[in-house]
Structures are given as structure tokens and as C-alpha cells.
Amino acid sequence: MKYTPEQENKILDDKEKIVFSYCDETGTPVHRAKEIYKFENKLILYPYSVNRESGIVRKKKIKEIEFRGWNSLGDIPLDFRKTRGYGISSQRMKFLLSVIYQRFREVEKLIIDRYAPHRFYSKTITFNWQSLDVLLSKINKDHNWYIKNRKLFIGNEVAKMTPKVEYKKRYLYSGELTSFLKKNRFMFKNFIARH
């Protein structure tokens, strides 16, 4: 059976689930894209990318992302929605996965569950969404703190070169001082030891 070329098409709709596949320029299914289960609160995404010039479909390092406790694609967290399709879309999730890849080099499947505890195996990692969301928020705050300080640092370095740029002081707000001291504790220990 031929399907609409160069997009995801419904290729199976039975009692248990609906399956979508990406079809090439001839309308032939070449990559399973997602599965939506009808009677379980479960969705499975198979991340991929398509080179729009050559039409080549490429699988991602994480081959499967399973969502347990979600009934529709519109309900899944924004961290896994892209402009075109689904996968790892947020920078904060990419930061987390870069650390995980260092310790779990063979990981191929992520399970995001609303109720289950965390489990880390060599090929499959299960995250509890509530605590993962808290961790991702902390990663985001840390990243924003870094960007804010980097901009301030660059601006102040330029201010040393020319009087046309104003030097700005950096004020730490609630929680930032604690974070700053934790990040720079070795620098302060050395400073205190010398003085």
C-alpha cells in the first residue's frame, strides 16, 4: 500500500494500538515513528531525523522513548516535542543526557514514567517524571545563571578597554549566593588559606 510521501502516515490501526511510520519519497514506510496505545496510558516515540535534500532517514542515539502515564501526544512534556516530530528537543534535557552518555554508553531507550521509580540499566533508563522535571528545572536555572554571568563578564572586560561601555556590578539574589559559593568553594578555600 502506498502512503503520502515524505511524512508520517498511519500504517496500522488495530484494537491495541495505532502505529505511524515515516514514508520516503515513493510513499514506502522506511522508519517506525510512533505508537499510540489505546487501552494503556502509553506512547512510544522512535526519534529520527530526515535530510531534506537527500531524503535519508537517520536514527538517533536514543532509539526509543516510552511515555507511561500519558494518553495523547499533546500531553507529553515539551522537552520531547520538536517543531517537526518528536525527540530530545530541550537544551536542558540534552545537558542531562550528555552526562548520562558518559556513564551509560550503550543506552538506547528512555522510559519517562509518571509513577515508577528511577531505574538505570546499561541499555534502558527509566525516569520518574516528577523528579526529572525538578532536576531539569535546576539544570535550566544553572544554565541561565552561567549565561547571565558570561554576558556580564564579557561586558565588563570590554568596559576595561573603552570608557564607552559601562562596568556593571553583579548582585546575587536569593539562592544564587549559595550556588555561587558551592561552585567556587575551592577558590575561596585557597584565598582564605593565603590570607
Side-chain angles (χ1 to χ4, degrees):
M1 177 178 199
K2 295 289 181 184
Y3 298 98
T4 308
E6 298 180 342
Q7 69 180 32
E8 291 180 8
N9 291 276
K10 187 188 302 185
I11 61 164
L12 176 69
D13 190 350
D14 63 14
K15 287 191 268 184
E16 183 185 341
K17 62 185 173 182
I18 303 169
V19 177
F20 291 83
S21 283
Y22 179 82
C23 298
D24 64 10
E25 65 277 349
T26 64
T28 306
V30 292
H31 179 78
R32 182 170 283 200
K34 59 191 167 214
E35 296 176 4
I36 302 168
Y37 287 78
K38 293 180 177 179
F39 299 108
E40 294 178 62
N41 288 335
K42 182 167 83 168
L43 307 165
I44 301 177
L45 308 177
Y46 300 93
Y48 66 97
S49 61
V50 179
N51 182 323
R52 295 292 168 199
E53 292 178 16
S54 66
I56 296 173
V57 176
R58 223 182 81 206
K59 293 180 182 179
K60 300 292 186 176
K61 180 167 175 46
I62 298 291
K63 293 176 178 39
E64 185 178 333
I65 305 172
E66 182 176 327
F67 294 91
R68 295 179 185 167
W70 280 269
N71 345 359
S72 74
L73 291 169
D75 294 340
I76 68 171
L78 294 175
D79 295 288
F80 301 96
R81 291 192 225 168
K82 293 185 170 187
T83 307
R84 193 166 176 87
Y86 301 90
I88 310 298
S89 62
S90 74
Q91 192 64 39
R92 63 189 195 161
M93 191 66 192
K94 289 177 183 176
F95 286 145
L96 173 63
L97 289 177
S98 68
V99 172
I100 288 174
Y101 289 151
Q102 293 172 7
R103 290 166 179 81
F104 298 90
R105 296 183 192 278
E106 298 175 8
V107 70
E108 294 180 347
K109 180 178 180 178
L110 292 179
I111 299 172
I112 313 299
D113 198 311
R114 284 192 160 161
Y115 311 107
H118 301 295
R119 290 187 200 99
F120 290 78
Y121 300 108
S122 62
K123 292 195 181 258
T124 304
I125 296 176
T126 302
F127 288 111
N128 175 280
W129 173 245
Q130 283 78 14
S131 54
L132 176 62
D133 191 32
V134 170
L135 173 61
L136 292 175
S137 294
K138 288 179 180 179
I139 290 170
N140 204 37
K141 283 181 186 175
D142 187 66
H143 181 66
N144 291 341
W145 184 83
Y146 170 76
I147 288 172
K148 188 189 310 183
N149 285 318
R150 183 179 65 188
K151 287 178 182 176
L152 185 73
F153 170 76
I154 292 169
N156 286 342
E157 290 300 310
V158 172
K160 290 177 185 177
M161 297 176 196
T162 178
K164 294 179 181 179
V165 176
E166 183 183 338
Y167 182 87
K168 293 183 181 177
K169 291 182 180 180
R170 172 72 168 103
Y171 297 100
L172 298 176
Y173 299 102
S174 65
E176 288 184 326
L177 179 60
T178 305
S179 177
F180 178 78
L181 292 173
K182 284 181 182 177
K183 289 177 186 168
N184 297 296
R185 66 179 176 265
F186 298 112
M187 180 180 72
F188 288 117
K189 282 182 183 179
N190 291 337
F191 177 78
I192 291 169
R194 285 185 281 162
H195 292 76

